[in-house]
Amino acid sequence: MHRIFDRAFSDAAQALASFRADPEIQSSLLEIAEALTEVLRKRGRVLVCGNGGSLADAMHFAEEWSGRFRGDRPAYPVLALSDPTHLTCVANDFGFEHVFSRQVEAFGHEGDLLIVLSTSGHSANIVEAAEAGRRRGMRVVGFLGKGGGRVRGLCDWCIVAPGETSDRIQELHMLALHVLIEVVEEALGHGA
């Protein structure tokens, strides 16, 4: 096997093993699943945001709820904060650090859930979104990396993926998000 393949698969396997072995991560994932189930059962909203690849992951997570994951079920109100016209309008008018917080202010309600994805935890727009969520009475979930950064202290629950590079961190975030969907679907009575 090519040395880069070998190294990449080895790094991914080590990161996953570390992720699975961390009791704090396992406990937090269970609590997040319970919170997500509670919000969706009440037809509350879940807002999700991130930058770059993390925004792509946020969009993927959201579409799994309004579309289909494993089986037929009702659509649930999970929204990725990804509208390009909004992002460019707010970046132009208020600054890029406000592109997510303005949508949180517009769509978030007390009791809703905000999920923020950041491989560093230091992105100003993610920090602003988490702060806006807290002001709105939302619970905040962080899928973070590299220690969690500034966002960590703003989260009710935090999953800090091991890994030194964004790709390994994002791979674990997406795996955890998929598992959450499976657990919550079953809790809502739509399991396979």
Side-chain angles (χ1 to χ4, degrees):
M1 183 179 287
H2 192 279
R3 65 180 172 71
I4 294 175
F5 290 146
D6 189 48
R7 185 182 71 233
F9 290 133
S10 178
D11 289 350
Q14 286 178 323
L16 178 58
S18 177
F19 193 75
R20 286 186 67 193
D22 187 327
E24 186 177 330
I25 288 174
Q26 302 307 313
S27 173
S28 292
L29 282 171
L30 285 172
E31 291 176 15
I32 294 164
E34 290 169 1
L36 190 54
T37 300
E38 175 189 331
V39 168
L40 295 178
R41 188 172 278 137
K42 293 177 180 177
R43 300 299 293 176
R45 290 186 182 114
V46 179
L47 306 180
V48 195
C49 62
N51 290 298
S54 293
L55 182 56
D57 291 344
M59 293 168 63
H60 180 78
F61 179 71
E63 60 83 9
E64 296 283 25
W65 289 105
S66 57
R68 176 188 300 157
F69 181 62
R70 297 253 171 115
D72 291 335
R73 57 153 166 75
Y76 287 98
V78 179
L79 176 67
L81 305 181
S82 59
D83 178 347
T85 57
H86 167 85
L87 296 173
T88 57
C89 168
V90 171
N92 185 62
D93 294 348
F94 297 96
F96 192 70
E97 66 273 17
H98 299 289
V99 295
F100 300 128
S101 63
R102 295 287 292 183
Q103 286 186 306
V104 171
E105 291 171 15
F107 300 115
H109 295 96
E110 187 172 343
D112 287 348
L113 201 61
L114 172 64
I115 301 176
V116 299
L117 289 82
S118 174
T119 60
S120 71
H122 291 297
S123 301
N125 58 5
I126 298 298
V127 172
E128 291 284 332
E131 289 174 343
R134 295 191 75 76
R135 285 192 302 272
R136 300 288 297 165
M138 301 173 75
R139 290 177 290 172
V140 180
V141 175
F143 281 85
L144 309 170
K146 300 179 184 171
R150 293 172 32 209
V151 176
R152 186 176 192 150
L154 299 169
C155 295
D156 294 283
W157 299 279
C158 198
I159 302 298
V160 180
E164 296 302 314
T165 61
S166 293
D167 52 336
R168 294 289 91 85
I169 294 165
Q170 288 169 336
E171 289 163 3
L172 291 172
H173 287 172
M174 199 66 246
L175 175 60
L177 290 168
H178 275 148
V179 172
L180 278 174
I181 296 167
E182 188 173 358
V183 169
V184 173
E185 277 192 346
E186 182 176 280
L188 291 169
H190 308 297

